[in-house]
Amino acid sequence: MAVANTTKTSWRLQEIVAHSSNVACLALGKNSGRLLATGGEDCRVNIWAVSKPNCIMSLTGHNNPVECVKFNNSEEQVVAGSQSGSLRVWDLEAAKILRTLMGHKANICSLDFHPFGEYLASGSMDTNIKLWDVRRKGCVFRYKGHTQAVKCLAFSPDGKWLASASDDSTIKLWDLTAGKMITEFTAHTGAINIIQFHPNEYLLASGSSDRTIKLWDLEKFKMIGSSGGEMGPMQLTLFTVYLNYPCILFSPISLSLLSSGAVDSLRVYGWEPERCFDVVPVGWGKVADLAICNHQLIGVSYNLANVSSYVVDLTRVKKSGSVIQGVIQDDQPLTEPSPKGSTLRRNYERPLTTCSTQRVKQSSESERRSPEGEMRSPSSEDEKESSAEIRNPEDYKEIFQPKSAISRTPPKNEPFPAPLEDGESLLSSRYVLGDDEALAQIRKGHDTMCVMLTSRHKNLDTIRAVWGSGDVKTSLDSAVSMKDLSIVVDILNIVNLKPSLWKLDLCTSILPQIEELLQSKYESYMQTGCTSLKLILKRFWPLISDTLTAPPSVGVDITREERHQKCKACYKLLKNLSDLVKNKADQVGRHGSTFKELQLLMAPLDY
């Protein structure tokens, strides 16, 4: 039996935990189909090689969740827009921040790089579109006209037009040279989430939450096709569950086709007349971006902190021939598409070199200096706060700093291998490990781990012997003296479950350790420290406050004096912790909420 008949048409390639908090956006590199950028609520942008489990680079600088991310055409730069409206551009080859751009007054919803010039377009929830000159760090023009958030932007292949789609159900086409709107398409009845130019012909595709995909002729500025909403129930499944985030993509394999990704399936459409050639079940869920490479369609989706990548073998997808029953109305016969369609329609004229300078309409100097224009980005001090942390030096050098410039992106001549039809395993590498190699991978680091666990077991046995005497404080002091924070965490996890074990003198021993735990790189250590600090504040702050504010006693009261000294020591330690908690309360996500709660509990310390 032929191999093609025994392998899957679509499969899940990989699933990774991309961020420490929820993923908010992602983008594939369209040139190679092998680079992935993810933006998260942790305010970071992480760069990945598709099919590899480790993050190549983590980009920092944003102080708010990253809402939108985009590679430039050469995949040498990546831009990310945040919830606050700021933009940051990183140079991936140099591993550094390139530009910080400010000007929008609300969330960044859409981004696109100009195909040739050093320009960048951004759309925001403030309804404005801004065109930025990345070299000069400024906004050169602002396009106004939408009444709601601008959800998608796309430059035409020749770089002369910019298309924008909005929640106001309109698509606007802007002439960059003249700086004005050419036309507006209003046929959609719901928010438009995605637009895509045909790579050669004067065509534009759009997908909307009204459950339709529409195709527009950019010579006559009229709609020439619509698939989805007006058809039978079968077509409605394309956007029934996944209305707000469809992905559409013109296939370079057959330029008369439109690939459309939606919930759990891939649909391949043709036009003139409108017809659906194939439906491929994929199961990718909330698909967020698509790319084509080596006759394979790469799709990525995200859920919470996880990102999944999927592959569809396009050589096994129908791109012509028979039409799926029910896609066109039964009372209308299927006519043959006109062979002259592609020749009659105008093609884009591209510059002879990608180094050509694109002329665009620019605002006057006075307008750019006005509060509305906001030409310049902040000073370089803000850029110094941004960084590019290389997590995987080997992959970084292979992809972004190769010996030969020709191989700057991952090799395109190696498609992802397809698993067998009856195979349930996910392919996370380009080849299958042999038994000896698999055992070597499993054993790697095993001896070191055994030594560490043996030492930890020995220390816990010592603590257990002391714990048996019923002296919790001595047990904790013994754990502290071992200078092993993991042992302290083990004990605190037990003590936190039994508040009755807590005494005031225990707080004086635990609080210095809590300061270390709150600054730990391990999430579980930080969580244990927060739980212990919260318990101390709730149980002992009233006692500490009353003792320190009480008037001096008459006569000698040794017990009272000892309690006063312990309360004074606890107050001093809590005061030191308050600044640390205040700084971490600005974090986004679950930990930020925990530290905000601790900050409220520690507010009385300032009075």
Side-chain angles (χ1 to χ4, degrees):
M1 184 179 292
V3 175
N5 295 329
T6 61
T7 57
K8 293 184 177 180
T9 302
S10 64
W11 65 95
R12 187 170 71 170
L13 183 69
Q14 184 187 44
E15 183 172 6
I16 55 174
V17 179
H19 289 266
S20 58
S21 58
N22 289 347
V23 176
C25 58
L26 56 78
L28 281 166
K30 297 298 191 293
N31 185 32
S32 68
R34 294 295 190 266
L35 279 181
L36 171 67
T38 59
E41 292 180 359
D42 57 4
C43 310
R44 286 177 174 263
V45 177
N46 291 337
I47 306 298
W48 309 80
V50 175
S51 85
K52 294 191 177 182
N54 298 319
C55 176
I56 300 173
M57 197 186 308
S58 186
L59 311 174
T60 62
H62 279 298
N63 298 317
N64 292 277
V66 177
E67 297 275 299
C68 193
V69 65
K70 187 81 173 181
F71 285 105
N72 72 341
N73 294 316
S74 63
E75 299 174 10
E76 296 171 356
Q77 296 175 9
V78 68
V79 61
S82 78
Q83 207 172 71
S84 66
S86 66
L87 299 170
R88 279 177 169 80
V89 185
W90 286 271
D91 185 324
L92 298 179
E93 290 190 344
K96 67 176 184 178
I97 183 74
L98 187 65
R99 293 287 179 263
T100 299
L101 306 170
M102 309 288 282
H104 284 292
K105 300 176 182 178
N107 307 36
I108 302 296
C109 302
S110 52
L111 295 165
D112 197 25
F113 275 98
H114 191 275
F116 308 119
E118 292 291 329
Y119 294 105
L120 166 70
S122 60
S124 169
M125 200 169 284
D126 64 11
T127 74
N128 290 325
I129 302 165
K130 289 181 180 285
L131 184 66
W132 307 87
D133 187 330
V134 178
R135 297 165 299 182
R136 299 179 182 178
K137 302 166 56 175
C139 174
V140 296
F141 206 81
R142 181 174 63 169
Y143 303 93
K144 297 185 289 184
H146 286 294
T147 58
Q148 294 185 43
V150 181
K151 285 298 181 69
C152 189
L153 293 170
F155 283 103
S156 61
D158 61 1
K160 295 179 180 179
W161 293 348
L162 175 67
S164 61
S166 169
D167 279 350
D168 62 13
S169 307
T170 66
I171 300 169
K172 297 182 187 295
L173 201 61
W174 309 87
D175 187 317
L176 298 181
T177 305
K180 62 182 182 181
M181 187 176 73
I182 301 171
T183 190
E184 180 181 41
F185 300 126
T186 58
H188 280 294
T189 58
I192 303 167
N193 309 297
I194 188 73
I195 47 177
Q196 179 82 36
F197 280 97
H198 192 289
N200 292 323
E201 298 180 18
Y202 270 50
L203 292 173
L204 179 75
S206 60
S208 168
S209 58
D210 64 10
R211 305 179 180 181
T212 65
I213 298 172
K214 298 187 186 298
L215 201 65
W216 311 89
D217 186 320
L218 298 183
E219 285 187 276
K220 300 178 181 178
F221 299 121
K222 68 175 185 179
M223 185 176 69
I224 62 169
S226 181
S227 302
E230 71 278 4
M231 299 180 185
M234 187 182 74
Q235 283 64 54
L236 294 181
T237 60
L238 182 59
F239 299 108
T240 298
V241 181
Y242 188 24
L243 297 181
N244 296 324
Y245 299 90
C247 278
I248 57 178
L249 189 68
F250 282 99
S251 170
I253 298 170
S254 178
L255 295 178
S256 62
L257 297 175
L258 178 69
S259 298
S260 174
V263 62
D264 291 336
S265 68
L266 168 75
R267 293 199 172 210
V268 182
Y269 285 98
W271 58 90
E272 295 177 337
E274 302 89 4
R275 56 213 187 279
C276 181
F277 289 126
D278 205 354
V279 178
V280 181
V282 184
W284 46 26
K286 191 177 182 180
V287 61
D289 203 6
L290 299 170
I292 293 178
C293 184
N294 300 318
H295 298 278
Q296 290 182 332
L297 178 72
I298 316 300
V300 283
S301 62
Y302 62 89
N303 180 41
L304 300 177
N306 298 331
V307 171
S308 299
S309 54
Y310 296 81
V311 181
V312 179
D313 184 354
L314 293 180
T315 62
R316 300 180 61 190
V317 174
K318 294 178 183 177
K319 297 176 283 293
S320 62
S322 60
V323 179
I324 294 179
Q325 182 66 29
V327 174
I328 61 172
Q329 297 177 8
D330 293 336
D331 57 352
Q332 296 181 356
L334 176 63
T335 59
E336 289 295 325
S338 171
K340 299 181 180 179
S342 59
T343 57
L344 293 176
R345 187 169 289 115
R346 182 180 169 192
N347 284 4
Y348 294 108
E349 296 178 0
R350 293 175 171 82
L352 296 177
T353 171
T354 57
C355 298
S356 300
T357 302
Q358 174 73 34
R359 292 181 60 241
V360 299
K361 175 73 174 179
Q362 300 192 12
S363 304
S364 64
E365 188 72 14
S366 59
E367 183 181 346
R368 280 185 275 165
R369 291 181 182 276
S370 69
E372 291 185 351
E374 306 220 25
M375 184 186 80
R376 292 290 177 183
S377 65
S379 66
S380 59
E381 292 180 6
D382 186 42
E383 294 180 6
K384 289 179 182 178
E385 296 176 0
S386 303
S387 66
E389 176 188 345
I390 298 174
R391 299 277 185 86
N392 193 325
E394 292 80 9
D395 285 348
Y396 169 75
K397 289 180 180 179
E398 177 187 348
I399 296 171
F400 296 110
Q401 294 184 342
K403 294 179 181 179
S404 171
I406 296 175
S407 61
R408 199 208 66 77
T409 55
K412 290 186 177 183
N413 56 354
E414 297 181 19
F416 295 116
L420 298 177
E421 284 287 0
D422 57 352
E424 298 297 329
S425 61
L426 303 181
L427 295 181
S428 58
S429 63
R430 296 180 183 271
Y431 60 93
V432 179
L433 294 175
D435 291 345
D436 293 340
E437 291 176 291
L439 286 173
Q441 289 288 339
I442 294 171
R443 288 172 179 163
K444 189 180 292 184
H446 179 71
D447 293 339
T448 305
M449 180 62 71
C450 284
V451 171
M452 185 191 73
L453 290 177
T454 301
S455 174
R456 186 171 178 179
H457 186 269
K458 181 180 178 181
N459 289 337
L460 285 173
D461 278 343
T462 303
I463 299 300
R464 184 180 181 185
V466 179
W467 185 279
S469 64
D471 191 343
V472 179
K473 186 177 186 306
T474 304
S475 301
L476 185 63
D477 289 339
S478 300
V480 171
S481 66
M482 292 175 179
K483 300 188 182 302
D484 186 348
L485 212 55
S486 64
I487 304 297
V488 176
V489 170
D490 288 338
I491 294 179
L492 284 181
N493 284 333
I494 296 172
V495 176
N496 288 341
L497 296 174
K498 295 187 177 182
S500 59
L501 297 175
W502 285 81
K503 305 296 179 186
L504 189 60
D505 56 352
L506 196 63
C507 297
T508 59
S509 299
I510 288 178
L511 283 170
Q513 305 306 309
I514 288 178
E515 185 172 2
E516 288 189 53
L517 293 177
L518 296 185
Q519 299 179 81
S520 173
K521 63 180 180 180
Y522 300 113
E523 183 177 343
S524 59
Y525 287 17
M526 192 185 300
Q527 192 63 40
T528 298
C530 289
T531 302
S532 298
L533 181 56
K534 192 184 301 183
L535 198 150
I536 290 172
L537 289 168
K538 288 182 176 180
R539 285 182 63 87
F540 295 100
W541 173 246
L543 173 64
I544 294 171
S545 178
D546 292 344
T547 301
L548 295 179
T549 56
S553 61
V554 179
V556 178
D557 189 339
I558 296 176
T559 304
R560 180 186 172 93
E561 286 295 325
E562 288 179 348
R563 184 167 65 248
H564 187 276
Q565 289 299 320
K566 292 175 184 177
C567 289
K568 189 175 180 180
C570 287
Y571 176 81
K572 186 177 179 180
L573 292 168
L574 288 170
K575 191 69 176 173
N576 291 338
L577 281 171
S578 64
D579 291 334
L580 175 61
V581 170
K582 190 179 297 183
N583 292 334
K584 288 188 173 289
D586 295 331
Q587 293 181 353
V588 177
R590 181 162 54 92
H591 291 309
S593 301
T594 302
F595 281 111
K596 283 184 178 69
E597 184 181 354
L598 287 172
Q599 187 180 19
L600 291 174
L601 290 173
M602 300 182 83
L605 290 170
D606 297 329
Y607 298 104

